[in-house]
Every structure is written in C-alpha cells, then in structure tokens.
Amino acid sequence: MKVVITRRIPESIKQMLENDYNVYMWQEDNEPIPYELLLEQVKDADALFTNVSDRIDKQLLQAAPNLKVISTMAVGYDNIDIDEATARGICVGHTPDVLSEAVADLTFALLLATARKVVEAMDYIKEGSWRGWGPMLLTGQNVYNSTMGIIGMGAIGKGVARRASGFGMKVLYHNRRRREDVEQELGVEYCTLNDLLQASDFVVMLAPATPETRRMIGERELSLMKPTAILINTSRGSNIDESALCSALKERQIWGAGLDVFEVEPIHANHPLIALDNVVVLPHIGSATIATRMEMAEMTAQNIRLGLSGAKLIHTVNPDVYNRGS
Ligand code: GLV
C-alpha cells in the first residue's frame, strides 16, 4: 500500500510507515507540496499524511480512488472536505488533546507579548534607539487582575483559563453550548458574545473554523470592544474579518492584536497588518514545541497504521464513516 506524506517529517516517524508501506514524502520542511503534484501522487495512494496547509478538496479526493485514510497532523481539519471523504468511505484522523497545553502556552505568550510590547521593545534595542529609561517608554496594558473573554471553551480554552487564574484574571467565556462542567471546575462565567466583547480586556479567539464561526469577529463586534482591549487569535484566521481588524487597529478602536493565524497563510512582509505598531504576528506556531510536534506526528502515523489495518483511528473526525452501509 502507498502512503503519501505531504511534508518532510522526522525520520523515526517516517520509519513507522516505511516498515510496512511504500512511502512517497515531499522533501521540504516548511514549504507545501504543490497542489498539482499532490493530485498526481494521490492517484494510487491508500493513505495521506497531511497538515493544515494542504487543500484536501473534492477534486483531490476524486483523483484518489484507493484512498482509505486521511490523517492530519493537526487538531483543525477545515482544510479537508469531510463530507466528501465520508461519502467515499475515507476515515479522517486528527490529533486533538496532545497539543492543547502547548497551544495554551503560546496563546499566553502572544497575550503577554502584545500587552507588554515585547517584540517592539526588542526591535527598539536592535534599531539602536535605547538612550535611557523613560517614564512612559514602551508602556503597555496590565495583565494581572484583568478580565479575559474566551471564545470557544474546548480543551485549549480550558488550558488558557487555567493559566489566566494564575494571573488573577476573571474569565468569561462564550461557546456554542454552555459548559457548566467547566464553570464548576475552573470558575469561569458564561456570557453572550456581546457581553464578553464589552467586558473583556483580552478577547481570546479559540473557536474552530466552521461556517458558523466564519468572520464572527467583524466591524460590529470590534466596535463593542474597549479601546484598551487586545484581541488574540490562535485558532483560525477565518474566524476574524481581517480587513475590519486592520481598520480597528489603525483607528485605535482597540488597543492591539496578537495573531498566530490569518485568513490566507502564509502572510508576507507587505501584508497590511505588518505595518501596524499595535500588532504581534506569528507564523502559525501554536503547537510548535519539539515534544508536542513529535507526539502529533506519531499519532498521525498511528492513525494511518490503524486505518489501513481496518481498525478505528485514535481520533476520528468523521465517525459516521464506520456506520456506512450498516
Ligand atoms: C493547528 O492549527 C492545528 O489545527 O493543529
């Protein structure tokens, strides 16, 4: 059987697949396989080891008649046409849980970096601008004792809420459905999106990308936020209307934004957000610790091995696939 791997992965993980299957691996670490090449490679593929930046659409699935498993090295799967995969009997695996704490850490790193102008301050030294201590030089926003509003209270949201309690923060949240279990466990408070936006010093976007969450933060929502508030996004760029955010930041309608994800990735140095002095941007590195990425890669390979042997995956995105025809 043939497994297509769309990015260069650590040798030990590749071995897990090479022992039993023919493996084609795209050799670049950080550059996506061209769509046309992937289209060619999947023609006789039984399994696909993919990631957030590959477009796994209907056309690609139609070109892969033997495909049995798609395994993405990510928790999010908005880049994959799940309905088409299910209709074709293809199991889709992903890697939740193992990355939650790493993403929660990065969310906090971005929050602190934005609130306390950490990146701007280092640039200030690099530019040779540091002449001496200044009373209001590089002053930011208080984090300790502030109010955080988390949109999307899943495993990552819980991780962020736990960290927030160490910073003495009050935590509000908004979620598709109310999570009374989490309220009891972590003392967080459910509220409407409008109330959350109006009350929070830090609005933290952690919802998955779905048709319902698409651009859920736009001009109206940004206008409800405090002028001193900061928006953090470590989920998916499509959850926020980027041009509305750019205008709100430019006009100082909100104080700042820390973004790890974008509507179209990668962004380049000439992206309008880069020109702003109240933004910290990162290249989608939420789960990027060595240990976490190794665990994700291993689980992605395991999902392929399980799927190709006819067993259930560790985490299946489309469990309906197991009930087809029964
Ligand atoms: C990364 O964005 C992921 O979905 O794991």
Side-chain angles (χ1 to χ4, degrees):
M1 284 196 265
K2 176 180 171 185
V3 177
V4 171
I5 307 178
T6 65
R7 198 75 83 258
R8 188 143 73 95
I9 58 170
E11 198 50 41
S12 60
I13 309 294
K14 187 176 167 220
Q15 274 299 321
M16 282 174 64
L17 297 168
E18 249 173 4
N19 289 342
D20 294 299
Y21 314 115
N22 291 325
V23 169
Y24 165 84
M25 184 168 79
W26 171 246
Q27 287 300 325
E28 297 294 330
D29 293 313
N30 311 318
E31 215 172 283
I33 184 171
Y35 183 79
E36 294 304 321
L37 177 57
L38 184 54
L39 212 48
E40 192 56 37
Q41 283 298 334
V42 294
K43 275 189 179 150
D44 56 351
D46 296 279
L48 184 58
F49 186 125
T50 182
N51 64 73
V52 292
S53 60
D54 298 320
R55 177 163 48 94
I56 312 299
D57 58 8
K58 190 168 182 169
Q59 186 192 0
L60 195 106
L61 297 179
Q62 278 170 346
N66 299 339
L67 203 59
K68 296 162 191 65
V69 190
I70 298 168
S71 185
T72 186
M73 189 176 147
V75 60
Y77 44 82
D78 47 292
N79 57 315
I80 303 170
D81 186 336
I82 301 296
D83 289 344
E84 183 66 20
T86 308
R88 290 176 170 275
I90 302 169
C91 314
V92 182
H94 68 148
T95 64
D97 301 340
V98 289
L99 49 62
S100 303
E101 299 303 338
V103 178
D105 281 343
L106 193 278
T107 304
F108 239 91
L110 199 45
L111 184 154
L112 288 165
T114 311
R116 297 302 305 271
K117 297 180 176 270
V118 170
V119 178
E120 189 183 338
M122 181 159 169
D123 286 346
Y124 181 78
I125 296 181
K126 276 191 181 169
E127 285 158 9
S129 304
W130 194 19
R131 302 269 176 273
W133 187 87
M136 296 307 284
L137 175 65
L138 291 164
T139 43
Q141 297 292 343
N142 279 342
V143 175
Y144 193 76
N145 262 349
S146 62
T147 298
M148 173 186 281
I150 299 177
I151 302 171
M153 187 50 85
I156 301 170
K158 283 176 68 178
V160 173
R162 255 184 258 113
R163 285 156 180 76
S165 77
F167 280 80
M169 290 167 126
K170 174 176 176 177
V171 180
L172 311 173
Y173 80 98
H174 182 75
N175 198 49
R176 262 176 308 189
R177 63 187 173 89
R178 194 164 163 185
R179 298 284 312 262
E180 274 156 9
D181 54 331
V182 184
E183 290 170 29
Q184 298 236 316
E185 185 188 338
L186 301 175
V188 298
E189 198 180 299
Y190 178 80
C191 61
T192 63
L193 183 61
N194 283 2
D195 287 349
L196 181 148
L197 293 166
Q198 282 168 340
S200 299
D201 299 303
F202 297 94
V203 173
V204 180
M205 172 55 81
L206 288 169
T210 65
E212 292 74 41
T213 59
R214 187 170 164 72
R215 297 195 170 162
M216 76 184 284
I217 301 296
E219 196 181 327
R220 187 192 75 85
E221 290 73 22
L222 290 160
S223 75
L224 295 177
M225 289 173 64
K226 299 181 189 182
T228 50
I230 290 172
L231 178 65
I232 302 295
N233 189 9
T234 46
S235 56
R236 284 294 182 270
S238 60
N239 292 343
I240 291 174
D241 179 339
E242 225 163 66
S243 83
L245 175 61
C246 250
S247 306
L249 287 164
K250 230 182 257 172
E251 289 156 23
R252 310 275 166 188
Q253 216 174 63
I254 66 171
W255 195 82
L259 309 169
D260 185 43
V261 288
F262 304 89
E263 283 189 329
V264 178
E265 296 180 5
I267 61 165
H268 299 287
N270 59 359
H271 189 284
L273 281 166
I274 308 281
L276 304 177
D277 63 2
N278 47 356
V279 180
V280 175
V281 289
L282 299 175
H284 202 144
I285 56 166
S287 63
T289 71
I290 298 164
T292 298
R293 286 287 169 86
M294 286 304 290
E295 271 192 272
M296 290 166 68
E298 192 174 331
M299 188 179 283
T300 309
Q302 274 299 356
N303 275 338
I304 287 179
R305 293 184 60 87
L306 288 166
L308 289 183
S309 69
K312 286 192 176 174
L313 314 188
I314 304 167
H315 291 288
T316 312
V317 168
N318 57 344
D320 283 356
V321 79
Y322 299 125
N323 305 323
R324 283 172 75 253
S326 62

